[in-house]
Amino acid sequence: MGSRASSLLREEDIEEIKKETGFSHSQITRLYSRFHSLDKGENGALSREDFQRIPELAINPLGDRIINAFFPEGEDQVNFRGFMRTLAHFRPVEDNEKNKDPSAGEPLNSRNNKLLFAFRLYDLDRDDKISRDELLQVLRMMVGVNISDEQLGSIADRTIQEADTNGDMCISFSEFIKVLEKVDVEQKMSIRFLH
Amino acid sequence: MQTMGFLSYIRPVFAIYISCAVLALLAFGTTTEVSPKPATTKPPYKSTALGPINTVPKVFPEPEKTYLPLFTINYPRVQIPFEITLWVLLASFAKIGFHVYHKITIWVPETCLLIAIGLIVGAIMYSVHEQPPAVLTSSIFFLYMLPPIVLDSAYFMPTQAFFENMGTVLWFSIVGTLWNSIGVGISLYGVCQIQALGVQDINLQENLLFASIISAVDPVAVLTVFEDVNIHEQLYIVVFGESLFNDAVTVVLYNLFNHVAELPVVDATDVLLGVVRFFLVGIGGMLFGFVFGFVAAFTTRFTKKVREIEPLFIFMYSYLAYLLAELISISSIMAIVTCALTMKYYVEENVSQRSCTTIRHVIKMLGTVSETLIFFFLGVVTITTDHEWNWGYILFTLMFAQIWRSLGIVVLTQIINPFRTIPFNFKDQFGLAYGGLRGAITFALVYTLPDTIVQKKLFVTATIVIIIFTVFIQGVSIRPIIELMNVRKTNRNLGTINVEIHSRLMEHIIAGVEDLCGQWSHHSLKDKFMRFNNRYIRKILIRDDRPESSIVALYKKLELQNAMEVLDTISGDISAAPSLISLHEEKTSKSSSKPKKPFLASDLIAMHEILSKNMYKIRERTVSYTNKHALPNDSRAREILVRRHTSIRRSLRARSFQGSEAMRSQKYFSLPLGQSLDYRSAAERFCHNGDGDTAFELSSWSARPRSKQPRLSSSRTTRLDTLTEVHSVASVEDEVREEQRGPGPSHVSSSSTDSRPRAPHQRYGSSGKLSIVDSDAEAEEQQPVPPPSAWIPEPPDQGSSGPQNPLLRRAQWKPQDQ
């Protein structure tokens, strides 16, 4: 939380981000200093290699895709707003929020949006369907070298079979939601951000 | 067939083992108190039976002529080294024996096994009425056996995680040990007052001394049993740090109380002096260690020409720090620990890869040997010495030790939890408290107590009881208990495959995002330190490196090694994620013809099993350090990195060739070692080289620009251009050609430049290095690609925007002419 960093972030920006994402003031400043420390080029935006510099991400099996999720469609740079917007998906769902404002649109950290984040990690071509191959790719990334292609293929087949209700051999987003209905996604896809 | 292999392996090992035991037995035929020798533990070898042979010419009335003896045995000459060697060999065979059956090492900490073997040998010795030699003296222990153990623990401490948790670690180790010692000491003193036990002659000082000895906990020994069990990751580093630092605290307290115990009367000034001395000693040790660490790092800056003796510097400096600290009676353990911690970061950057490996291996070796010997000796002593049993005292000791430790953990956790980013829950605390096995140092300390302490034998007995109790009972039972506690976590109810896969996906996402946010530490402090580090310290201590070639060369070297290893170990092919081409193929050929297969229940169970066994667990940063007796294992990280590279390379190549033969050959990325690759033809198009050497092939990966997997879209032709442009860059070519000439990876590593790329954060083990090198080296060529996916690799700025990579500059290329 260097003062140098936070001075670049204006109060009105903080307020806007707060409204949009629901983070608290201190969380925003803290994350800003993190953003700033990642931003080696000091141009107020992060590029992909800024993310790749984080070593833990390099050995995360899904590192590349997670990084990619931060960049909106077709862009190479993400500014702080975008950064926070993506991170907002991981904010824990608080109970009092559920009743707040049904007309204001779904908050970024709703269950649906969390699931959408995960879904998008599979669905790279954004056709709103997880095809068998997309599934295979992610499976292969998550699994060690000891599984043969056939085994993985049958696992993928089974996955699709379980989820697919309309017979198109792909998992659509609604099917995805349905298959995970028993899973406590709000808890699994939440990070306890430090204050 | 497997059992046959098992048996055929077992037999020779046991044969050797038994013959060793028999040899040892032969030694005990007649008691020989061999003259005390400054050697480590060894059953005295029989010499008197052979003695007469040597003395024959003298004893008998002189014959006319003494013939030249054809065959003489001069045992005393080699006695010391011989016995040491035999003993160490015996211990090593024991270690081999443990790992024959893998399950043992999971369920039983290795310490148990060592002590068990020691007990067996002790039993043998006892049965032939032999005494173990009085060799574990104070000086031998402190000067020869303790430094390797401590150096081992210190060197393999994951520094980054350690610094993130330093407060917690120091809190638990220092305050915890103090708490334990003083608590147990005072309670025992209270117990001593009870008439019935008959131990009134132990005064407070001696009780405190004894208490400080038995509070030296070694919980690392328990980590091996946590291999499969899901333990809070931060616990690992606390356990590591605790076991390391409380050795230091214990030894300091030991010396302190030892001195105090000899005083007839203790008054307030003595106590005050004691406290002051404690801090002085500790902090002095640390400063000492820092100084030596820096000097060592500085020295390695100039060792480029003397690669072979580079490891020597590390050892000598650490040992020197230790000895000098002993000289001026400050905490030698703290000195060697801080020396190792400081040194490691800079040295590993200056020193060649081989030296680095050598250093690690030797340190690990020395440490385990030393510890093994102590445990062996413990086992032997247990059986062979005559103990002084005092049930009351011993039982009370046991009880108090447990109580105070648990209490201590609970209280300390309560105090420190608010300061932690991730607080400890009950399960962690239980693991910490219950996992407090006593280790080798406890035994050695008590055994080397001065004889002025009246009840020394009682202390020894009590310590042995505690050690054996904690090691055997707690060590073996902790795993089932933890598993029991974990059961409510693992949902035995098999969810669907979907749930399993997607849950794991989500866990990985969360781990990734958490790392991204840097949630674990207070970054500002670390960043400030890193900035200071980069700006000043590294300039002094790190050898000047030439960024481009060193990065490239080292990257290649590491890639080669890793690729070799991965290829060696895997059975199937490293099927990276299918590239777009194969994707396309699959779609056309398979999707239509695939009927809906009904899956049997057994298939499902098999699937679940496959997934649970093979899916990567999340965030294994410190897990690689769980096993104290093994080197850190970073194969998983390597797998991931290697796979990323291969998939990228494949997709890249796939993109540039539209021909079908190329497609087919690339569908399965399998590189049997040494075989000439089909990719050779593919490679030719890319690169100017025709060797089919796998080594070369793999090395040319580094020349490929990185790009993301299937999302690469339209800029195929442009990428080719970039590639050729990139390859025209001189230094890359040079490196590549250099390797082409080299006959293999080994030459590459020797011919490549030695300095390493600077790492923004020097990390644990080569997995970390790999990842840094990865991001470092991928930056050799820039390859900006229009929308969607690929990114612009760039050398991570080492805190100074200074030497911009000319390599990079030239390769910079904007996609305007797409």
Side-chain angles (χ1 to χ4, degrees):
Chain A
M1 292 229 270
S3 56
R4 182 166 56 101
S6 57
S7 62
L8 298 173
L9 190 65
R10 298 169 308 173
E11 271 307 312
E12 55 263 30
D13 289 336
I14 297 184
E15 283 304 313
E16 278 179 39
I17 296 178
K18 203 165 166 181
K19 228 186 328 180
E20 191 183 354
T21 61
F23 282 117
S24 76
H25 196 283
S26 55
Q27 284 173 332
I28 295 178
T29 30
R30 191 180 235 277
L31 287 169
Y32 186 76
S33 67
R34 173 65 171 166
F35 179 87
H36 191 74
S37 72
L38 287 177
D39 180 16
K40 293 294 194 292
E42 308 232 350
N43 54 352
L46 294 178
S47 55
R48 280 178 216 266
E49 63 273 12
D50 286 324
F51 284 107
Q52 286 173 334
R53 236 174 260 134
I54 306 171
E56 293 92 342
L57 276 186
I59 55 174
N60 188 312
L62 301 169
D64 293 338
R65 301 213 176 189
I66 296 176
I67 294 176
N68 199 49
F70 275 85
F71 292 87
E73 200 61 48
E75 287 178 25
D76 292 335
Q77 303 271 320
V78 59
N79 59 8
F80 186 59
R81 292 288 291 268
F83 184 71
M84 292 303 282
R85 209 171 289 134
T86 318
L87 283 183
H89 285 107
F90 299 100
R91 206 164 59 84
V93 176
E94 282 138 41
D95 286 326
N96 57 359
E97 278 184 1
K98 287 186 187 153
N99 312 326
K100 229 182 215 167
D101 215 354
S103 62
E106 229 176 335
L108 281 171
N109 63 339
S110 69
R111 184 192 167 92
N112 250 14
N113 278 325
K114 289 183 197 280
L115 283 170
L116 191 61
F117 190 91
F119 187 81
R120 291 234 170 97
L121 241 73
Y122 284 106
D123 182 25
L124 288 178
D125 51 5
R126 298 289 173 103
D127 61 354
D128 275 332
K129 284 201 295 247
I130 303 178
S131 66
R132 179 178 187 266
D133 303 297
E134 287 171 340
L135 186 62
L136 260 181
Q137 284 167 36
V138 175
L139 269 178
R140 183 44 86 185
M141 285 161 88
M142 289 209 292
V143 136
V145 294
N146 293 325
I147 312 244
S148 68
D149 275 346
E150 295 79 37
Q151 287 174 313
L152 215 60
S154 52
I155 292 179
D157 287 331
R158 171 68 192 171
T159 311
I160 295 189
Q161 205 183 67
E162 275 176 4
D164 197 14
T165 48
N166 61 354
D168 60 352
M169 306 300 281
C170 289
I171 306 180
S172 70
F173 184 51
S174 47
E175 290 163 356
F176 189 73
I177 296 180
K178 178 132 199 334
V179 101
L180 289 177
E181 64 188 353
K182 293 220 183 66
V183 174
D184 186 3
V185 173
E186 287 93 336
Q187 192 263 330
K188 267 188 132 55
M189 288 279 281
S190 293
I191 299 180
R192 220 190 49 145
F193 286 99
L194 305 170
H195 287 273
Chain B
M1 196 159 16
Q2 198 171 5
T3 48
M4 279 304 290
F6 179 89
L7 283 176
S8 62
Y9 177 78
I10 278 287
R11 235 173 261 134
V13 170
F14 272 136
I16 301 173
Y17 204 105
I18 291 180
S19 50
C20 277
V22 166
L23 281 174
L25 268 179
L26 281 177
F28 312 141
T30 54
T31 54
T32 75
E33 236 351 277
V34 193
S35 52
K37 46 199 176 299
T40 48
T41 67
K42 191 67 197 104
Y45 210 84
K46 189 174 81 156
S47 67
T48 48
L50 312 169
I53 302 178
N54 283 344
T55 59
V56 158
K58 290 200 202 106
V59 171
F60 290 72
E62 252 123 355
E64 299 80 45
K65 184 176 174 195
T66 57
Y67 290 97
L68 185 69
L70 284 172
F71 183 60
T72 53
I73 294 179
N74 186 2
Y75 184 65
R77 183 157 177 261
V78 295
Q79 183 171 17
I80 297 166
F82 182 75
E83 289 177 3
I84 298 174
T85 314
L86 210 57
W87 195 253
V88 173
L89 205 57
L90 200 65
S92 312
F93 283 136
K95 278 173 102 72
I96 296 180
F98 303 155
H99 289 279
V100 163
Y101 187 45
H102 175 64
K103 277 279 167 72
I104 295 183
T105 46
I106 295 185
W107 286 94
V108 178
E110 207 159 310
T111 327
C112 279
L113 299 169
L114 289 174
I115 297 184
I117 298 285
L119 288 172
I120 295 175
V121 174
I124 297 178
M125 285 177 69
Y126 187 70
S127 59
V128 290
H129 303 289
E130 189 50 58
Q131 291 287 335
V135 290
L136 192 63
T137 63
S138 169
S139 58
I140 291 177
F141 171 68
F142 279 106
L143 292 182
Y144 299 113
M145 303 196 80
L146 187 57
I149 297 179
V150 179
L151 185 62
D152 175 16
S153 308
Y155 198 80
F156 288 102
M157 171 96 72
T159 32
Q160 206 250 353
F162 169 67
F163 281 114
E164 283 174 2
N165 291 290
M166 189 159 67
T168 314
V169 165
L170 289 179
W171 174 255
F172 272 111
S173 53
I174 297 181
V175 178
T177 313
L178 280 174
W179 168 284
N180 277 338
S181 319
I182 296 179
V184 175
I186 294 184
S187 342
L188 279 179
Y189 182 59
V191 160
C192 283
Q193 309 301 78
I194 301 177
Q195 299 278 6
L197 294 178
V199 284
Q200 278 103 320
D201 52 342
I202 309 182
N203 57 11
L204 182 63
Q205 297 98 300
E206 292 182 350
N207 269 314
L208 282 174
L209 178 61
F210 178 59
S212 72
I213 293 176
I214 61 171
S215 51
V217 186
D218 184 22
V220 176
V222 188
L223 288 181
T224 49
V225 302
F226 287 160
E227 222 182 77
D228 302 338
V229 178
N230 210 6
I231 289 286
H232 193 1
E233 203 199 350
Q234 292 234 323
L235 200 61
Y236 285 124
I237 187 60
V238 173
V239 160
F240 255 92
E242 190 191 354
S243 79
L244 186 61
F245 283 101
N246 72 15
D247 288 344
V249 176
T250 301
V251 170
V252 169
L253 283 179
Y254 175 82
N255 288 321
L256 198 63
F257 288 135
N258 219 354
H259 176 74
V260 164
E262 291 162 12
L263 297 178
V265 159
V266 175
D267 55 359
T269 43
D270 285 324
V271 171
L272 192 63
L273 282 178
V275 169
V276 171
R277 180 175 165 74
F278 177 78
F279 282 108
L280 207 65
V281 156
I283 297 180
M286 280 204 274
L287 288 174
F288 218 67
F290 274 131
V291 167
F292 269 93
F294 281 124
V295 173
F298 190 64
T299 313
T300 54
R301 187 180 169 178
F302 304 107
T303 56
K304 187 168 158 204
K305 299 293 180 190
V306 286
R307 291 280 178 213
E308 296 76 21
I309 60 169
E310 263 175 343
L312 202 58
F313 287 106
I314 313 299
F315 299 124
M316 292 300 111
Y317 273 111
S318 330
Y319 198 43
L320 203 62
Y322 185 83
L323 292 175
L324 280 179
E326 279 282 313
L327 174 69
I328 60 181
S329 297
I330 58 179
S331 169
S332 42
I333 295 185
M334 288 303 295
I336 201 174
V337 164
T338 36
C339 183
L341 287 176
T342 354
M343 197 165 60
K344 175 176 167 183
Y345 174 55
Y346 302 106
V347 159
E348 288 203 340
E349 291 203 16
N350 274 336
V351 141
S352 74
Q353 175 75 357
R354 284 183 175 174
S355 302
C356 198
T357 312
T358 310
I359 293 173
R360 285 156 172 259
H361 275 275
V362 173
I363 288 183
K364 193 49 98 172
M365 197 172 69
L366 291 176
T368 42
V369 160
S370 193
E371 198 163 0
T372 307
L373 287 178
I374 294 184
F375 278 122
F376 242 66
F377 194 66
L378 167 68
V380 169
V381 161
T382 309
I383 308 247
T384 52
T385 56
D386 37 321
H387 298 282
E388 184 166 325
W389 285 100
N390 186 322
W391 280 105
Y393 193 74
I394 294 178
L395 286 177
F396 270 114
T397 309
L398 209 56
M399 202 175 70
F400 283 133
Q402 297 298 335
I403 292 178
W404 280 100
R405 176 154 176 91
S406 321
L407 212 60
I409 296 283
V410 168
V411 169
L412 291 178
T413 319
Q414 290 307 317
I415 298 181
I416 199 160
N417 257 345
F419 297 102
R420 283 182 56 80
T421 55
I422 302 175
F424 284 134
N425 59 16
F426 171 71
K427 197 171 64 164
D428 303 328
Q429 295 172 37
F430 176 77
L432 269 180
Y434 199 69
L437 311 188
R438 270 55 180 182
I441 295 191
T442 314
F443 174 69
L445 283 176
V446 84
Y447 199 73
T448 57
L449 275 176
D451 287 321
T452 55
I453 303 211
V454 178
Q455 294 277 14
K456 177 178 167 178
K457 285 200 165 175
L458 175 61
F459 287 157
V460 171
T461 310
T463 311
I464 292 181
V465 167
I466 289 190
I467 294 181
I468 292 189
F469 179 84
T470 52
V471 167
F472 280 95
I473 298 184
Q474 280 181 230
V476 175
S477 67
I478 191 166
R479 188 187 162 92
I481 294 182
I482 293 286
E483 280 196 345
L484 227 85
M485 291 169 77
N486 253 348
V487 155
R488 55 182 166 80
K489 222 180 165 195
T490 59
N491 217 351
R492 287 291 156 191
N493 166 33
L494 288 179
T496 59
I497 302 256
N498 267 287
V499 167
E500 198 165 337
I501 296 178
H502 299 319
S503 308
R504 186 54 65 90
L505 179 102
M506 290 194 249
E507 284 169 13
H508 278 298
I509 296 177
I510 291 295
V513 177
E514 271 183 352
D515 290 329
L516 204 144
C517 295
Q519 291 278 73
W520 280 33
S521 64
H522 298 277
H523 256 275
S524 56
L525 199 62
K526 189 163 84 160
D527 279 343
K528 286 197 193 105
F529 172 70
M530 290 318 290
R531 242 175 285 144
F532 172 71
N533 183 32
N534 292 336
R535 204 168 291 149
Y536 302 113
I537 304 184
R538 296 176 62 104
K539 294 261 165 41
I540 304 175
L541 295 181
I542 308 280
R543 188 181 300 141
D544 299 317
D545 35 3
R546 301 169 295 275
E548 323 86 324
S549 49
S550 68
I551 290 178
V552 169
L554 182 69
Y555 176 65
K556 283 181 193 155
K557 197 167 51 172
L558 286 177
E559 276 291 302
L560 276 170
Q561 290 179 3
N562 297 330
M564 290 304 164
E565 288 178 34
V566 173
L567 290 172
D568 274 338
T569 53
I570 58 162
S571 46
D573 37 356
I574 322 175
S575 309
S579 66
L580 256 186
I581 295 294
S582 57
L583 204 73
H584 176 72
E585 243 197 42
E586 272 191 36
K587 261 200 191 113
T588 51
S589 64
K590 281 203 177 169
S591 56
S592 48
S593 58
K594 197 165 34 88
K596 235 184 185 172
K597 254 196 313 181
F599 286 97
L600 308 170
S602 56
D603 288 342
L604 281 185
I605 296 180
M607 278 184 197
H608 273 288
E609 208 163 311
I610 290 177
L611 282 178
S612 61
K613 271 207 201 105
N614 284 289
M615 283 209 285
Y616 289 130
K617 300 196 175 66
I618 53 171
R619 205 191 265 142
E620 287 191 5
R621 297 208 291 183
T622 50
V623 168
S624 57
Y625 282 85
T626 51
N627 193 349
K628 185 178 186 184
H629 298 275
L631 285 167
N633 173 22
D634 50 10
S635 58
R636 171 189 172 244
R638 285 187 187 165
E639 270 178 29
I640 295 179
L641 284 173
V642 167
R643 189 185 300 150
R644 277 169 97 201
H645 284 293
T646 61
S647 65
I648 284 160
R649 180 167 154 247
R650 258 179 34 172
S651 54
L652 208 59
R653 189 174 288 128
R655 204 131 295 103
S656 50
F657 302 119
Q658 312 301 321
S660 56
E661 355 58 34
M663 267 165 47
R664 245 189 298 279
S665 65
Q666 289 159 47
K667 178 165 177 147
Y668 299 106
F669 189 84
S670 53
L671 284 178
L673 206 55
Q675 213 174 343
S676 67
L677 309 163
D678 322 299
Y679 301 134
R680 222 188 310 170
S681 52
E684 267 169 16
R685 287 270 302 269
F686 267 121
C687 259
H688 34 279
N689 32 50
D691 287 19
D693 207 339
T694 314
F696 167 73
E697 188 61 22
L698 297 170
S699 70
S700 64
W701 288 352
S702 58
R704 304 278 181 270
R706 300 217 25 188
S707 54
K708 198 171 160 201
Q709 294 165 8
R711 275 247 290 201
L712 296 168
S713 52
S714 47
S715 50
R716 300 180 182 196
T717 49
T718 55
R719 192 157 303 129
L720 250 188
D721 297 343
T722 318
L723 277 176
T724 46
E725 182 180 271
V726 159
H727 288 309
S728 71
V729 172
S731 54
V732 176
E733 270 198 356
D734 285 344
E735 298 293 347
V736 162
R737 281 214 198 88
E738 184 186 1
E739 289 188 4
Q740 195 181 355
R741 273 181 230 117
S746 56
H747 286 256
V748 170
S749 50
S750 59
S751 65
S752 59
T753 52
D754 22 24
S755 53
R756 288 160 155 246
R758 301 154 292 190
H761 311 280
Q762 180 59 27
R763 297 227 170 222
Y764 41 91
S766 50
S767 72
K769 244 178 259 124
L770 252 193
S771 51
I772 307 294
V773 169
D774 201 29
S775 53
D776 245 320
E778 74 191 3
E780 327 150 34
E781 304 91 10
Q782 273 205 4
Q783 209 212 356
V785 164
S789 42
W791 45 83
I792 304 173
E794 180 182 276
D797 211 49
Q798 302 303 330
S800 62
S801 50
Q804 268 301 328
N805 207 334
L807 197 62
L808 212 54
R809 284 252 175 70
R810 243 180 303 173
Q812 211 157 19
W813 173 84
K814 292 291 174 233
Q816 288 116 0
D817 46 342
Q818 194 180 354

